[in-house]
Amino acid sequence: SGLGEGIPRDSKAADRVAAEDDKSWRREGMVDAAVLRSQISDVCASPDCGLQLMILCTIHGLCEEFMMYKGVTTSSGIAQQVPSGKRDGLADLAKRPNFKKKNPNLILAIGNLRSLGFKESSHQYISQVSRMASAEDGCGSRVANWVRTSLGSFSTTDVVLLHQFVQMLLLRAFLARDKLANVVNEPKSAGTYTVGTNAETDSTYGGGGKKK
């Protein structure tokens, strides 16, 4: 249910999914992280937003990696971790960021997950990812390594909750790409803020570590 699928590249199809009443960003299941990252990389935005989008792509990809290792890949498996009531709460939170602002505070928005049971310790770990990005002047191996280490201490439920929320934000951002491009005079593609290669794909969870 959505696994292996990205956003339609065909312009007419993209126009259709960008309709005002579109709810495809709420889709249940897994949207292929590599495909979504590729498409988000081409989205033009302000520097703040572009960097945050690439950090979210890294979080999304590593959550997907963790979930595949744990065998949580189907819509039913995800629904066991994030039941319908909690999913509605996720969607409400994902609607809050304003993509007409230069800095939509996408990373800070993760803190709102605490209202849905996201553990305080989980939030404290993941909230430091912006500092990692600042330290390496972009989104690269430091960010990926920090996210990977953080996820190793999360419960499976927290990882799935984070994955689904970040996926909603990324899908919303893609649908709002025209707005993002109009926020600043000279927007750059989000991929500009990637440092090095896709370090988040360099290792898997097969080597053990703390899992719940």
Side-chain angles (χ1 to χ4, degrees):
S1 177
L3 184 61
E5 298 175 4
I7 305 297
R9 282 190 179 278
D10 175 74
S11 59
K12 291 183 178 179
D15 288 341
R16 285 199 299 273
V17 300
E20 283 300 313
D21 61 347
D22 180 67
K23 295 294 186 293
S24 66
W25 59 268
R26 296 181 56 149
R27 71 174 69 177
E28 194 170 8
M30 297 177 76
V31 174
D32 185 270
V35 173
L36 186 54
R37 184 186 185 97
S38 174
Q39 294 172 331
I40 291 294
S41 293
D42 292 334
V43 171
C44 292
S46 68
D48 283 329
C49 185
L51 175 58
Q52 290 172 39
L53 287 174
M54 296 319 297
I55 292 173
L56 291 183
C57 283
T58 297
I59 294 173
H60 183 242
L62 286 165
C63 284
E64 177 185 274
E65 185 181 298
F66 179 102
M67 289 163 66
M68 293 182 74
Y69 174 62
K70 301 292 276 187
V72 183
T73 58
T74 63
S75 292
S76 59
I78 290 172
Q80 287 180 2
Q81 304 293 331
V82 184
S84 58
K86 187 171 285 189
R87 184 165 194 83
D88 290 340
L90 273 185
D92 288 340
L93 295 178
K95 285 190 293 188
R96 292 184 183 180
N98 185 353
F99 290 123
K100 292 181 180 179
K101 293 184 176 181
K102 291 182 180 180
N103 185 354
N105 290 318
L106 300 176
I107 305 302
L108 284 177
I110 293 173
N112 295 326
L113 293 179
R114 287 174 291 186
S115 66
L116 297 176
F118 194 63
K119 301 296 186 298
E120 180 66 30
S121 58
S122 298
H123 173 254
Q124 288 173 350
Y125 279 123
I126 212 69
S127 66
Q128 295 185 54
V129 74
S130 292
R131 184 163 57 83
M132 297 297 139
S134 178
E136 69 175 339
D137 197 26
C139 181
S141 60
R142 284 192 185 185
V143 170
N145 289 336
W146 180 259
V147 174
R148 183 182 290 110
T149 299
S150 300
L151 295 183
S153 66
F154 288 11
S155 67
T156 299
T157 297
D158 273 1
V159 173
V160 176
L161 195 66
L162 180 61
H163 174 272
Q164 292 290 283
F165 181 63
V166 167
Q167 181 169 283
M168 287 181 182
L169 289 178
L170 290 171
L171 292 173
R172 267 202 68 214
F174 185 85
L175 293 171
R177 58 195 180 281
D178 289 340
K179 293 179 183 177
L180 296 179
N182 290 327
V183 170
V184 291
N185 291 331
E186 297 183 4
K188 294 183 179 179
S189 61
T192 303
Y193 305 100
T194 300
V195 179
T197 58
N198 290 345
E200 73 276 10
T201 62
D202 288 349
S203 70
T204 67
Y205 288 91
K210 288 197 297 180
K211 303 290 181 298
K212 299 177 184 178

